[in-house]
Amino acid sequence: MKSPQLLKLCIDICFIMLIIDVTFSFITYTTFVFYGEPFTVTINDNQKEIADWSFSSGLLILSNFAVLLLSTYAIYLLRKLIRSFFKNSFFTKLQTALFRLIGQLIVLSVILQFIVHFFSTVLLEKRGEIGFSVASGYYISLFILSIGLFFIYLSKLFEKSKSLQEENDLTV
Amino acid sequence: MSININLDSILEKRGMKSYELAELIGITTANLSILKTGKAKAVRFSTLEAICKALDCQPGDILEYIEQE
C-alpha cells in the first residue's frame, strides 16, 4: 500500500502552524495578564476583544487557550497516527486507540469552543445569544464535530478489522 | 475450542512426519502447527481436501466435536 505522503505533509504544516499559534497566543495572553491595558486580546477567531482583566475574562482566555491546546494535541496525535501507517502495519492497538482519542479531542474542542462562544457573549456583551445561522459558520463547527464522531466510529471499525485480520491469519 | 483436531494420531498411524505432510499438501509447517495445536480459527476446504487425500482419510477422522460446558 502506498504511503500517504501528501497527507503527512499537510498534517506537518498544520502542526507547525499550530505550534506557532500556541506560542504567540501564550505570549499575548501572559503579556495581557501582567501588563493589562494598553494590551488587548481577541478570542473566538478575532470576533471578540477583551480589554479589561477580570476573573471572567481570564476564564474566557484560559478556555480559549485550552481549545487551541486540544486542537494542537489532536493534530500531534494525528501526525503520530499517520507515521504509524508508514511502517506498513495496520489495525494495531495503537492506531485504534489514537483514532478514538483524536475523535474525542475533536468533539471536546468543538463543545468547549461552543461554550466559550456562548459565555463570551454573555460576559463581554452582557446578553445571551443562542441560535443557528448559516452565515456565522456554525456549519463548519458541525462539520468538525462530524469529523470527530467519524474518527470515533473509525476506531470501532479498526477494532472489528483487527479481529477479522486475526481470523484470516489463523485460517489454514 | 470444542472442535478437536486429531491430526497427530492419524499422522502416527500413517507413520508420517508433520513436515512431510506440510510439504505434501503445500502449506507451511508453521500453519500446520497452528492447525495441530487447535489455534486455527478456520480450515479451508482445499486444505482439508489435501489433508484427506494425503492421509487417505475422511474429514470426520481429523475433526471431532467435543461438547464443552
Side-chain angles (χ1 to χ4, degrees), chain A residues 79-92:
Chain A
R79 263 179 101 220
K80 206 172 164 181
L81 180 68
I82 301 298
R83 271 169 169 69
S84 76
F85 291 138
F86 280 79
K87 291 171 192 160
N88 253 344
S89 59
F90 302 100
F91 315 121
T92 59

Side-chain angles (χ1 to χ4, degrees), chain A residues 42-147:
Chain A
T42 50
I43 58 166
N44 291 351
D45 295 324
N46 300 333
Q47 282 177 1
K48 304 233 164 54
E49 196 178 79
I50 299 173
D52 313 312
W53 168 251
S54 64
F55 178 72
S56 53
S57 62
L59 210 62
L60 282 177
I61 290 168
L62 201 68
S63 311
N64 201 54
F65 193 59
V67 171
L68 189 62
L69 284 179
L70 282 178
S71 311
T72 312
Y73 188 49
I75 296 292
Y76 167 75
L77 293 177
L78 196 58
R79 263 179 101 220
K80 206 172 164 181
L81 180 68
I82 301 298
R83 271 169 169 69
S84 76
F85 291 138
F86 280 79
K87 291 171 192 160
N88 253 344
S89 59
F90 302 100
F91 315 121
T92 59
K93 267 186 183 175
L94 176 81
Q95 287 168 353
T96 310
L98 282 176
F99 266 121
R100 192 184 305 112
L101 190 58
I102 292 166
Q104 286 167 346
L105 283 171
I106 291 171
V107 170
L108 192 68
S109 74
V110 170
I111 292 169
L112 199 60
Q113 204 161 23
F114 178 77
I115 292 168
V116 170
H117 184 87
F118 179 76
F119 280 102
S120 63
T121 312
V122 171
L123 296 170
L124 300 173
E125 295 173 15
K126 310 284 183 220
R127 65 182 178 89
E129 182 190 87
I130 193 154
F132 187 83
S133 167
V134 177
S136 63
Y138 280 117
Y139 63 98
I140 297 285
S141 300
L142 208 61
F143 177 68
I144 297 169
L145 186 72
S146 310
I147 296 281

Side-chain angles (χ1 to χ4, degrees), chain A residues 166-172, chain B residues 31 40-44 47:
Chain A
E166 257 175 24
E167 202 169 295
N168 190 46
D169 288 344
L170 291 172
T171 297
V172 181
Chain B
N31 270 346
K41 296 253 182 189
V43 185
R44 285 190 195 93
T47 311

Side-chain angles (χ1 to χ4, degrees), chain B residues 1-6 60 62-68:
Chain B
M1 205 157 140
S2 52
I3 299 288
N4 212 18
I5 309 284
N6 295 323
I62 304 163
L63 306 171
E64 184 190 7
Y65 171 70
I66 297 165
E67 203 168 329
Q68 279 184 343

Side-chain angles (χ1 to χ4, degrees), chain B residues 19-35:
Chain B
Y19 71 90
E20 288 172 335
L21 179 67
E23 225 169 72
L24 263 174
I25 63 174
I27 64 167
T28 61
T29 46
N31 270 346
L32 190 67
S33 171
I34 288 171
L35 185 63

